[in-house]
Amino acid sequence: MTIILGLIIAAVSLIGGFAALGGKVAVLWQPWELVIIIGVALGTFFVANPMKAIVDTLRSTREAVFNAVPKKRDYLDVLALLYALMRELRAKGRNEVEPHIENPQESEIFRSFPTVYRNSGLLTFVCDYFRLILVGNARAHEIEALMDEELQTIHRDQLKPYYALSALAEALPAIGIVAAVLGVIKAMGAIDQSPQILGSLIGAALVGTFVGIFLSYALVAPVAHKVKGVREHRLRPYIIVKQSLLAFMNGAPPQIALEHGRKTISAYDRPTIDEVENETMNSGGGLGETVQDIPQKGAA
């Protein structure tokens, strides 16, 4: 909702400042200039992007407006799911875990963590790499290289709306100038009219330049950066899965593997080690040994 608040502040400051300077606010209302600018901008946007990217841009804009980023609850669900699967794999072996991986929609483990269960991309990511672990032939460094490649691909796909909106923001000032030039052409066609009429026509033309620049720097570009931030936050659960599974493949017990994943979460949203322990105890049947016990066990 900070986007809406910011736009209200910008609009009130702009119009209020213009009125305080003695400007006539009604002059800024030039609907046909808006039609030209917005219409040309939308047209070029459709030319430059495939339909999937256009639909994803609308989706990402909605995510940005509502700040739809993972919260602590989402991170706890990811960590608890990973713990449950790793614990099952260690305790019961591959044959017991494989049905959960092959058919996650029917798995009681996955259904216990709705924020992951409803995220089809993350669900597929988890199942794909647990499936590779079950096969048993892949080495940790090979899995890491594969994960990095897939994460780069996901990251590029997730940022397509950002690049599309950034290109539109760069084009809007020039589109505003086009609308202004058309307004000047109209004004030149009335060169024989009174200065009052001519001044009104030229003022209307200049509104086109103003609108193009305002939409670019005060609306589209900030929204694009917000989209980028939200999409990068939404990639964080994948990083948690990567680091936790790599640690598990390298021999770390499940609770220590979770710590590798937990440390990748931003300090603003990172659950404490006690919160993770309580979550896994409630959902996975207990840690068996607490993190605090591990150094003593290793020392022994």
Side-chain angles (χ1 to χ4, degrees):
M1 301 304 289
T2 55
I3 290 180
I4 297 175
L5 177 61
L7 289 176
I8 292 174
I9 294 172
V12 170
S13 300
L14 178 74
I15 297 174
F18 180 70
L21 289 172
K24 296 182 178 179
V25 177
V27 175
L28 298 178
W29 177 243
Q30 300 295 335
W32 293 112
E33 294 280 337
L34 290 174
V35 169
I36 293 171
I37 295 170
I38 296 176
V40 173
L42 286 176
T44 56
F45 184 77
F46 273 77
V47 169
N49 299 284
M51 185 55 65
K52 287 184 178 180
I54 294 170
V55 173
D56 195 28
T57 301
L58 295 175
R59 185 185 304 114
S60 67
T61 302
R62 184 176 67 251
E63 292 169 358
V65 170
F66 292 101
N67 196 34
V69 298
K71 306 296 191 296
K72 184 181 289 188
R73 176 73 263 161
D74 301 287
Y75 294 130
L76 285 171
D77 274 1
V78 172
L79 292 169
L81 170 64
L82 292 174
Y83 175 79
L85 291 172
M86 290 186 290
R87 189 169 181 271
E88 286 286 306
L89 183 56
R90 281 210 163 189
K92 299 181 180 179
R94 297 174 184 175
N95 292 335
E96 297 288 338
V97 178
E98 189 172 4
H100 297 287
I101 302 303
E102 296 298 332
N103 191 13
Q105 288 75 18
E106 302 298 328
S107 168
E108 287 301 320
I109 293 179
F110 282 97
R111 294 171 73 91
S112 299
F113 307 101
T115 59
V116 181
Y117 183 77
R118 291 193 296 264
N119 188 334
S120 59
L122 182 60
L123 188 68
T124 301
F125 188 81
V126 171
C127 291
D128 284 349
Y129 288 101
F130 260 101
R131 190 176 291 111
L132 290 177
I133 293 175
L134 292 175
V135 171
N137 295 327
R139 300 176 181 176
H141 71 273
E142 295 173 340
I143 297 295
E144 183 176 11
L146 183 60
M147 282 183 170
D148 287 339
E149 188 65 33
E150 183 171 1
L151 287 173
Q152 288 179 10
T153 301
I154 295 173
H155 189 246
R156 285 194 298 268
D157 289 341
Q158 289 289 301
L159 291 188
K160 283 180 179 178
Y162 163 71
Y163 293 123
L165 289 173
S166 295
L168 180 61
E170 292 176 0
L172 273 168
I175 295 173
I177 292 173
V178 169
V181 169
L182 290 176
V184 171
I185 292 173
K186 177 185 175 183
M188 292 300 100
I191 195 69
D192 58 340
Q193 300 296 318
S194 67
Q196 184 177 1
I197 295 176
L198 265 179
S200 176
L201 292 174
I202 293 173
L206 292 176
V207 169
T209 303
F210 152 71
V211 171
I213 294 174
F214 178 80
L215 290 179
S216 172
Y217 294 106
L219 178 61
V220 179
V223 169
H225 284 282
K226 181 71 172 181
V227 165
K228 181 181 180 182
V230 169
R231 283 295 172 92
E232 288 180 341
H233 273 83
R234 292 171 72 88
L235 190 65
R236 182 54 49 188
Y238 293 82
I239 308 296
I240 296 172
V241 174
K242 171 194 168 184
Q243 295 302 125
S244 299
L245 290 188
L246 288 176
F248 181 67
M249 291 186 69
N250 284 317
Q255 61 271 29
I256 295 299
L258 291 189
E259 188 64 10
H260 284 252
R262 188 183 74 88
K263 287 296 187 180
T264 67
I265 304 171
S266 168
Y268 294 103
D269 303 308
R270 183 189 303 157
T272 66
I273 193 169
D274 290 332
E275 288 175 321
V276 174
E277 182 176 342
N278 291 335
E279 189 69 23
T280 53
M281 288 178 66
N282 291 333
S283 60
L287 286 175
E289 56 183 4
T290 65
V291 176
Q292 291 85 346
D293 292 334
I294 292 170
Q296 300 173 359
K297 181 179 179 181

